[in-house]
Amino acid sequence: MATCRDRLAAVEAEESSSCQGYSGVEVVLSSDPATPAPLCPHGPTLLFVKVNQGKEETRRFYACSACRDRKDCNFFQWEDEKLSGARLAAREAHNRSCQPPLSRSQCVERYLKFIELPLSERKFCQSCQQLLLPDDEEKHREHQVVGDVSITQLKRPSKLLYPLENKKTNAQYLFADRSCLFLVDLLSNLGFRRVLCVGTPRLHELIRLKESGDKKSNIRSLLLDIDFRYSQFYMEDSFCHYNMFNHHFFDGKAALEVCKTFLQEDRGEGVIMVTDPPFGGLVEPLAVTFKKLIAMWKEGHSQDNSQKELPIFWIFPYFFESRICQFFPSFCMLDYQVDYDNHALYKHGKTGRKQSPVRIFTNIPPNRIILPIEEGYRFCPLCQRYVSLENQHCEHCNSCTSKDGRKWNHCFLCKKCVKPSWIHCSICNHCALPDHSCKGPRDGCFICGELDHKRSTCPNISTSKKVNKAVRKQKQRKSNKMKMETTKGQSMNHTSVTRKKKRRERTHQYLCS
């Protein structure tokens, strides 16, 4: 799997090229509502289609909405495929076997028992990622168990649980406290009383901590997340097991009503949605889900307020700006750089291309949002918004144009500002990376070069694997040989030194005798 930095470089290269035809997989959003999508362990699947050189292939297929890697969820079904009763029954049995071992009510019941235990009996199994009651200890005797779990630790479950680090499915990169505290203070200053946290467990924790610790704070939150492990730390009105890629509530209508009530309270006033989806997730299904949540919020409004929008903070990398604004034209991108605790690259204080590319997209007017000056943000009186220090106002574009925190340069031929690493290409007639391909990004197979298939389905893939294996073996043999020669040389040198030493000792004895 490519690293996030590799992906950022790939996106930058793709942006700088004129793509003549796209090949890949796209989600089909306009499927027939009369035909319900088949179910996988993660809820209703999505309809996909393969696109080759910009042209849609004829046969569509259903696959998991949450997992883009078949290793995580291997569901696959052609759109026109008819399944036998036996296969449908086997699929239903498989889906049931993949569900959490405890129901939502059982988790709540266990949690209430757990908090009543004395401190010495409160234990957490790190191997199973589960709170343990006294009756469970025998089963977990050989596991890694943490004792003396305090109430403070229970209020910060993201510190107890191991993050799920699959970029394409869970991507549990947790907000650093710096970013999280900034968001909590910002939401409070903007006057919001309720926060729907979609995939933001750490923000949910800090809001609840502030609510319990500060009597003046009247802000509440509800967490929707695909990680069922949070079920054991929260009551039904604080957490819903939820898949944001298909708007699926795993606990059915009861959880749906919890979310609906939360959004429509006080006729929908004083609520905001904050979401931090996995960076590998597709924008299209996310946008469809968020529009369903917006529709749910609007149901509690009167006709007079039908033009109002649900306030949203969508936290996502800046290079998805055009895709997000395609679905939500009223959104704008803030310059604030969101950083994460458990991400090697997305950290505060880095410079240049190493800065975090994660930004906040919102439909709240940017002049209402104050960014911290002590962290390197300034107010631009011409743009009437806060921007990063190096994001200089361009008099030709009449805007602070930088997206990535670096100073961008204005190209008079393109009539816009571009990244500092780009130059104007006279062949392509636009700015691009210096080493870009004027023919556009290479499509098709990376093994044989043909355009009608990808590397994974190449008929020569077995030959390619054999060649690669042979090359790796040859390199390994060469490396082992060099190590042996080094060891041998060191051994010979040691023997030579020992002989010289003995010779000197014998000479000294002879002279002294």
Side-chain angles (χ1 to χ4, degrees):
M1 188 183 297
T3 64
C4 292
R5 184 57 57 196
D6 292 338
R7 187 176 179 201
L8 179 57
V11 170
E12 185 171 314
E14 185 179 335
E15 285 176 348
S16 69
S17 304
S18 55
C19 183
Q20 299 299 322
Y22 164 78
S23 295
V25 176
E26 291 184 352
V27 64
V28 181
L29 299 176
S30 58
S31 57
D32 185 6
T35 308
L39 301 176
C40 76
H42 303 94
T45 54
L46 293 178
L47 186 62
F48 294 91
V49 64
K50 287 186 178 180
V51 177
N52 187 23
Q53 292 297 294
K55 295 180 180 179
E56 185 178 311
E57 292 186 2
T58 53
R59 208 171 184 192
R60 301 174 175 184
F61 61 92
Y62 288 101
C64 180
S65 61
C67 305
R68 292 176 63 193
D69 196 327
R70 294 285 296 279
K71 293 176 183 176
D72 300 314
C73 181
N74 62 0
F75 185 97
F76 182 91
Q77 180 184 322
W78 293 111
E79 183 186 21
D80 54 359
E81 186 178 1
K82 303 295 181 184
L83 300 183
S84 64
R87 281 189 64 187
L88 287 171
R91 177 182 290 172
E92 287 177 9
H94 172 70
N95 290 348
R96 284 195 299 271
S97 68
C98 293
Q99 296 310 305
L102 298 172
S103 68
R104 190 72 184 91
S105 57
Q106 286 175 318
C107 288
V108 171
E109 186 181 340
R110 286 174 60 88
Y111 175 74
L112 293 173
K113 289 180 180 178
F114 187 87
I115 58 176
E116 289 180 357
L117 294 172
L119 182 63
S120 58
E121 292 184 25
R122 290 195 213 124
K123 297 178 182 178
F124 177 76
C125 178
Q126 290 183 324
S127 305
C128 301
Q129 296 286 281
Q130 182 183 336
L131 295 173
L132 301 181
L133 294 174
D135 295 342
D136 304 326
E137 290 182 22
E138 185 64 31
K139 300 176 187 176
H140 301 264
R141 180 172 288 181
E142 303 297 323
H143 296 180
Q144 200 168 0
V145 175
V146 176
D148 298 339
V149 179
S150 65
I151 297 297
T152 304
Q153 286 176 295
L154 289 175
K155 290 180 179 180
R156 300 297 304 270
S158 68
K159 302 276 189 181
L160 273 176
L161 299 169
Y162 291 134
L164 303 174
E165 294 183 340
N166 186 332
K167 298 183 187 73
K168 295 183 179 180
T169 310
N170 308 101
Q172 255 183 357
Y173 296 124
L174 302 165
F175 292 143
D177 283 344
R178 180 192 74 90
S179 291
C180 214
L181 289 169
F182 163 75
L183 285 169
V184 173
D185 290 339
L186 177 61
L187 295 169
S188 180
N189 292 335
L190 289 171
F192 292 108
R193 300 185 299 277
R194 300 188 312 286
V195 183
L196 183 67
C197 298
V198 184
T200 56
R202 187 154 285 182
L203 178 64
H204 178 63
E205 291 172 6
L206 285 191
I207 290 173
R208 287 172 61 83
L209 280 172
K210 186 173 182 178
E211 181 192 10
S212 60
D214 187 358
K215 292 181 179 179
K216 293 181 181 178
S217 175
N218 61 346
I219 193 168
R220 295 185 293 112
S221 64
L222 169 65
L223 176 63
L224 310 184
D225 202 283
I226 198 168
D227 188 354
F228 70 88
R229 298 177 301 171
Y230 285 102
S231 299
Q232 58 189 320
F233 296 93
Y234 296 118
M235 305 294 284
E236 290 101 327
D237 61 348
S238 300
F239 172 77
C240 296
H241 189 199
Y242 178 75
N243 181 354
M244 71 173 79
F245 289 99
N246 58 6
H247 189 56
H248 177 65
F249 289 88
F250 289 88
D251 296 307
K253 288 184 178 180
L256 176 66
E257 284 301 317
V258 168
C259 181
K260 194 173 181 180
T261 303
F262 186 84
L263 284 172
Q264 296 179 4
E265 187 179 324
D266 294 335
R267 300 184 70 182
E269 295 294 328
V271 65
I272 183 173
M273 183 180 86
V274 181
T275 181
D276 182 30
F279 301 151
L282 296 171
V283 172
E284 291 85 348
L286 288 171
V288 170
T289 290
F290 299 157
K291 286 182 177 181
K292 288 179 180 177
L293 288 170
I294 292 168
M296 189 188 295
W297 168 77
K298 280 189 174 181
E299 287 176 13
H301 270 243
S302 62
Q303 293 295 326
D304 299 336
N305 294 328
S306 58
Q307 300 301 317
K308 289 187 69 175
E309 289 186 336
L310 171 67
I312 295 174
F313 280 170
W314 182 343
I315 297 164
F316 225 45
Y318 72 83
F319 41 78
F320 286 102
E321 182 182 18
S322 60
R323 305 298 299 279
I324 291 174
C325 291
Q326 178 185 345
F327 290 95
F328 298 98
S330 62
F331 276 31
C332 66
M333 188 180 79
L334 305 179
D335 270 24
Y336 185 80
Q337 296 178 11
V338 181
D339 58 316
Y340 296 81
D341 261 353
N342 56 326
H343 198 291
L345 298 171
Y346 298 175
K347 300 283 188 182
H348 177 60
K350 293 182 181 288
T351 57
R353 293 187 74 252
K354 294 182 179 180
Q355 299 175 79
S356 171
V358 185
R359 301 289 185 270
I360 301 172
F361 296 88
T362 182
N363 52 0
I364 298 172
N367 59 1
R368 292 185 58 199
I369 298 171
I370 301 172
L371 302 185
I373 296 172
E374 63 275 11
E375 292 182 14
Y377 299 98
R378 63 179 182 84
F379 184 76
C380 176
L382 298 172
C383 293
Q384 285 292 296
R385 69 184 183 100
Y386 278 84
V387 295
S388 60
L389 207 58
E390 291 189 25
N391 189 0
Q392 300 299 313
H393 191 90
C394 175
E395 59 182 13
H396 306 288
C397 298
N398 193 28
S399 165
C400 293
T401 52
S402 174
K403 308 289 185 186
D404 59 7
R406 296 179 292 171
K407 184 182 177 181
W408 284 22
N409 304 320
H410 187 82
C411 175
F412 291 95
L413 296 172
C414 291
K415 297 181 181 179
K416 66 176 182 178
C417 287
V418 297
K419 295 178 181 179
S421 54
W422 289 12
I423 59 171
H424 194 84
C425 175
S426 56
I427 299 171
C428 299
N429 197 29
H430 64 74
C431 287
L433 289 167
D435 57 349
H436 76 285
S437 171
C438 293
K439 295 179 181 178
R442 181 181 174 185
D443 243 333
C445 179
F446 288 102
I447 295 174
C448 65
E450 295 295 328
L451 298 174
D452 59 346
H453 63 268
K454 290 288 186 180
R455 177 187 178 279
S456 57
T457 55
C458 181
N460 301 325
I461 191 168
S462 56
T463 308
S464 173
K465 284 182 178 178
K466 286 179 182 177
V467 171
N468 291 336
K469 192 175 181 180
V471 171
R472 283 197 300 271
K473 281 187 176 180
Q474 188 177 357
K475 286 182 178 178
Q476 188 64 41
R477 282 198 296 269
K478 189 176 179 180
S479 175
N480 292 341
K481 188 178 179 182
M482 289 175 68
K483 286 179 182 177
M484 287 176 66
E485 287 176 354
T486 304
T487 308
K488 187 178 179 182
Q490 289 175 347
S491 177
M492 290 176 68
N493 288 339
H494 177 72
T495 306
S496 176
V497 169
T498 306
R499 285 175 181 172
K500 286 180 181 179
K501 187 177 179 181
K502 287 182 177 180
R503 196 180 295 121
R504 281 198 301 271
E505 288 174 353
R506 283 198 300 270
T507 303
H508 179 73
Q509 288 173 359
Y510 174 75
L511 292 172
C512 293
S513 61

